[in-house]
Amino acid sequence: MITILGSINLDLIARVERLPRPGETVPGEAFSTAPGGKGANQALAARRAGAPVRMVGAVGQDAFAGQALALLEKAGVELAAVAKTGTATGTAMILVGGDGENMIAIVPGANAEVLPEHVERAAFGAREVVLLQHEVPLQTVKAALGAARAAGAVSILNTAPFHAAAADFVAVADYVIANETEFDLYAEALALAGADREARIRAFARQTGRTMIVTLGKDGAVAATPEDFLRVPAHPVTPVDTVGAGDTFCGYFAAALVEGVGLKEALGRAAVAGALACLKPGAQPAIPLRAEIDAAMGSP
Ligand code: RIB
């Protein structure tokens, strides 16, 4: 079982020819809504990868709540631990440019009410993989990492979005997944020594005893354990929309761990899944199915 504790949003998406500069107005080409939120996206990715998944989080009692949960429900993600609060469901305002790049502003709403007491109620078990991100209060993320460790569960922390304060507990996670920008910021905050990024990734793993995974966009991903350094190439695609690609990577990686595959194979699957998630608009609607990953990797 994978437990994902994290955010649930409704994404409000405008496609624009190019992203605006500060103070500039650009015309949009299309508007749509889609279920999103880093936590929920990762939950759906893990489920589409074939894992049993439960979601811990919160939504409001408004019209957006049902839309935000629709694809999780349809996919069979367990939602009993999703609280219904008096605060509005979280939203994300997303602009997607013609090159597939994006700008996102989030309004946490009910996600801000995911508290350490929800962690207690979730009662992690020793056989679980617990997957976390930074779109719910950091005190809750910290409590969840501690609870996972105490229960003997495996924890994965996706450090998105970056928060300097998370540097204090990032090394409690068994696996840390950061994109290159986030990693560089943590490297600075943690004063990791090394002449270049690779040296600093190795330094993190050596000093903490944890596995650090850094996604590099079109350059694939790298991972350091205290003993090893691995590289996986990117799966080549022409991106239409990169929103949710990182979440898809995380969900597929967690599902591979639950399946018991080795680190290199897990990273390879996650990298292909993340790339395929860039081929369609929207975060959750674009998350590929396991069969698509197997086909792209040449598995029967
Ligand atoms: O990682 C992409 C997600 O970030 C979007 O779905 C949006 O909701 C924000 O949380």
Side-chain angles (χ1 to χ4, degrees), residues 44-280:
L44 186 65
R47 183 72 196 119
R48 286 192 176 164
V53 176
R54 71 167 167 156
M55 178 86 211
V56 181
V59 292
Q61 299 181 38
D62 47 21
F64 283 0
Q67 294 178 58
L69 292 172
L71 291 182
L72 295 185
E73 201 164 7
K74 189 170 169 211
V77 172
E78 196 187 303
L79 297 176
V82 174
K84 306 270 187 306
T85 73
T87 311
T89 299
T91 45
M93 268 50 69
I94 302 182
L95 297 180
V96 181
D99 55 1
E101 284 305 324
N102 60 69
M103 290 170 84
I104 303 180
I106 52 169
V107 179
N111 295 311
E113 294 183 25
V114 181
L115 300 172
E117 66 205 50
H118 292 100
V119 173
E120 246 172 74
R121 259 184 255 139
F124 303 144
R127 305 175 75 84
E128 262 174 277
V129 168
V130 176
L131 175 55
L132 306 155
Q133 322 74 30
H134 290 164
E135 274 187 350
V136 294
L138 290 188
Q139 50 159 343
T140 310
V141 178
K142 188 176 174 184
L145 285 171
R149 181 140 293 256
V154 172
S155 59
I156 307 173
L157 176 62
N158 171 220
T159 61
F162 173 79
H163 284 290
D168 289 346
F169 58 76
V170 79
V172 177
D174 295 305
Y175 296 86
V176 183
I177 304 179
N179 67 24
E180 49 203 314
T181 312
E182 290 154 7
F183 176 77
D184 290 347
L185 291 165
Y186 283 112
E188 209 180 310
L190 295 167
L192 294 175
D196 55 19
R197 185 184 289 137
E198 180 177 326
R200 291 189 283 275
I201 295 171
R202 287 177 188 269
F204 179 90
R206 233 185 3 255
Q207 285 170 27
T208 62
R210 309 290 186 231
T211 297
M212 170 57 85
I213 298 163
V214 180
T215 58
L216 304 169
K218 61 179 173 27
D219 293 323
V222 293
T225 68
E227 303 81 28
D228 212 357
F229 190 84
L230 305 170
R231 277 174 214 286
V232 292
H235 182 71
V237 291
T238 304
V240 170
D241 178 350
T242 58
V243 177
D247 298 330
T248 303
F249 182 102
C250 295
Y252 263 84
F253 179 77
L257 285 193
V258 162
E259 255 184 62
V261 308
L263 181 59
K264 181 122 194 174
E265 167 79 12
L267 290 170
R269 273 189 210 173
V272 171
L276 296 186
C278 298
L279 294 177
K280 289 182 199 157

Side-chain angles (χ1 to χ4, degrees), residues 7-11 34-39 41 91-92 94 104 106 135 243-247 283-284:
S7 58
I8 301 166
N9 290 337
L10 187 70
D11 291 350
K38 294 188 193 307
N41 297 345
T91 45
I94 302 182
I104 303 180
I106 52 169
E135 274 187 350
V243 177
D247 298 330
Q284 290 186 26

